[in-house]
Amino acid sequence: MTDATRTAEFEELRPLLFSIAYRILGSVTEAEDAVQDAWLRWEATATRPDSTKAFLSAVVTRISIDVLRSARVRREEYVGPWFPEPLLEDPYQDPERSAELADSLSMAALLLLERLSPLERAVFVLREVFGFGFPDIASAVDRSEAACRQLAVRARRHMDAGRPRFEADREEREELAGRFFDAFREGDVDGLRELLSADVQMVGDGGGKAPQWARAIVGPDKVSRILISLTEPFESVGVTVEPLRINGQPGALFRDRDGRILNAFTLDILDGRVQTIRSVINPDKLGHMGPVADAWALTREANRARRQQHPGPRGEPDDGPQD
């Protein structure tokens, strides 16, 4: 096999390999590293495998399982809730499995996958998402076909138990998300409240590296009030909202006046209402999408602007309520 052929075959499969690794790991940077490690092993392979796709998928799966096992320890020590790194676009497309690919990419689905063991997660991703046969899966995870079938059954049971029963279709989700971000920009607390479910939650992932809520905010009144409290500070420091799809779901990137990424919001929309709002503001999880803003500096600037606009008694700055 010539070097050119080796490279061409790998590059053709790179989108698939990344998509497998990302779903197992929930991390763009770790998935990219896993794909690079797979390339090094492919480059060192002396003999041509019967199926390049099966071979490289097995290699990247084994690498991802090893990375996930070590990452789980770090995630248990993570400051606050841990969310997957936001992904703007899945590089792998397969019209025959478009529903499975889209369903498995959402933040909610990736967080459900976190409940599985590394082997269950890998088997589920290969079988349910990408449609691999059990012989190839058994080779990838170094288990018997019978054991892989059992792992697949257990994983499917856990995933089915955690999935929501009702979901709005894509067009309805996009329309509702548009209204949500319009209400946010306009500071329309009533408009926001009517779009939120009775048990809505807003949760943030700052990883201890950016300002974030200390705990989940629950209920439409609290969530709408907190969101609207951000409108004026964001406007005062030039933060803009860019609605787009994140992990295949409605969301938005928040950018500073220089276009640097401050935050990523994703919305879970169920039964015609926003069920969960997830905020990823940890800068380590945003850098793969572009330059990252300094959230602490923006917060200080916004607080100064607020004190100037709303001075306290006798002209003294009013620090306002503290969370």
Side-chain angles (χ1 to χ4, degrees), residues 180 184 189 192-194 196-203 213 215-230 277 323:
F180 174 91
F184 173 80
V189 66
L192 271 179
R193 189 186 296 113
E194 71 176 16
L196 305 176
S197 71
D199 56 352
V200 63
Q201 293 190 50
M202 185 162 63
V203 192
W213 308 292
R215 63 185 70 86
I217 301 165
V218 181
D221 290 335
K222 290 183 179 179
V223 169
S224 57
R225 189 171 67 248
I226 290 292
L227 283 171
I228 293 304
S229 74
L230 299 174
I277 303 165
D323 292 333

Side-chain angles (χ1 to χ4, degrees), residues 105-123:
L105 195 63
S106 71
M107 285 278 184
L110 291 171
L111 288 170
L112 279 177
L113 284 170
E114 284 290 307
R115 303 179 186 181
L116 307 181
S117 71
L119 278 178
E120 288 173 340
R121 185 165 181 162
V123 169

Side-chain angles (χ1 to χ4, degrees), residues 51 80 117 121 148 183 188 198 209 223 225 229 248 259 263-264 281 300 317:
S51 168
S117 71
R121 185 165 181 162
C148 289
D188 181 0
K209 299 184 177 184
V223 169
R225 189 171 67 248
S229 74
N263 198 354
I281 196 171
R300 291 191 293 270

Side-chain angles (χ1 to χ4, degrees), residues 41-319:
R41 298 188 191 187
W42 173 239
E43 194 176 30
T45 302
T47 58
R48 186 185 184 94
D50 293 335
S51 168
T52 303
K53 176 182 176 182
F55 176 83
L56 285 173
S57 298
V59 169
V60 83
T61 296
R62 293 189 200 111
I63 293 170
S64 298
I65 290 172
D66 289 342
V67 172
L68 182 59
R69 284 171 173 156
S70 62
R72 287 201 155 198
V73 176
R74 298 193 302 273
R75 291 176 191 181
E76 289 173 359
E77 300 171 350
Y78 194 80
V79 178
W82 181 93
F83 293 158
E85 290 181 8
L87 184 66
L88 296 183
E89 185 175 355
D90 187 357
Y92 178 72
Q93 301 295 324
D94 180 354
E96 293 184 1
R97 303 197 65 79
S98 59
E100 292 85 353
L101 290 168
D103 182 58
S104 65
L105 195 63
S106 71
M107 285 278 184
L110 291 171
L111 288 170
L112 279 177
L113 284 170
E114 284 290 307
R115 303 179 186 181
L116 307 181
S117 71
L119 278 178
E120 288 173 340
R121 185 165 181 162
V123 169
F124 181 89
V125 166
L126 291 176
R127 179 63 181 173
E128 300 296 327
V129 179
F130 294 97
F132 279 77
F134 281 109
D136 287 338
I137 296 173
S139 174
V141 302
D142 195 23
R143 294 293 189 274
S144 68
E145 288 187 41
C148 289
R149 291 180 187 276
Q150 291 177 345
L151 287 166
V153 169
R154 287 204 301 268
R156 193 181 306 116
R157 185 184 306 126
H158 287 307
M159 293 295 288
D160 288 345
R163 282 196 177 106
R165 294 181 60 190
F166 303 103
E167 288 195 32
D169 65 29
R170 177 170 177 169
E171 186 175 336
E172 290 175 350
R173 291 199 306 265
E174 298 290 351
E175 189 273 336
L176 192 146
R179 290 163 55 200
F180 174 91
F181 288 114
D182 285 344
F184 173 80
R185 291 191 197 92
E186 296 164 4
D188 181 0
V189 66
D190 293 330
L192 271 179
R193 189 186 296 113
E194 71 176 16
L195 300 175
L196 305 176
S197 71
D199 56 352
V200 63
Q201 293 190 50
M202 185 162 63
V203 192
D205 175 351
K209 299 184 177 184
Q212 190 54 268
W213 308 292
R215 63 185 70 86
I217 301 165
V218 181
D221 290 335
K222 290 183 179 179
V223 169
S224 57
R225 189 171 67 248
I226 290 292
L227 283 171
I228 293 304
S229 74
L230 299 174
T231 302
E232 184 177 322
F234 276 11
E235 185 177 344
S236 70
V237 295
V239 171
T240 57
V241 183
E242 178 188 354
L244 40 67
R245 296 182 67 79
I246 299 177
N247 287 79
Q249 303 295 314
L253 290 181
F254 291 73
R255 297 180 182 272
D256 71 5
R257 59 171 64 91
D258 297 317
R260 294 171 298 194
I261 299 170
L262 169 65
N263 198 354
F265 263 33
T266 62
L267 308 180
D268 286 353
I269 297 175
L270 308 174
D271 200 21
R273 292 288 185 275
V274 176
Q275 184 76 29
T276 307
I277 303 165
R278 294 187 179 89
S279 159
V280 180
I281 196 171
N282 182 343
D284 294 346
K285 295 187 175 185
L286 302 174
H288 62 278
M289 296 186 290
V292 179
D294 185 338
W296 291 112
L298 281 173
T299 299
R300 291 191 293 270
E301 184 182 350
N303 285 338
R304 286 195 298 269
R306 179 176 55 80
R307 288 194 294 267
Q308 291 171 358
Q309 293 172 6
H310 305 286
R314 302 183 216 172
E316 294 296 325
D318 179 11
D319 286 338

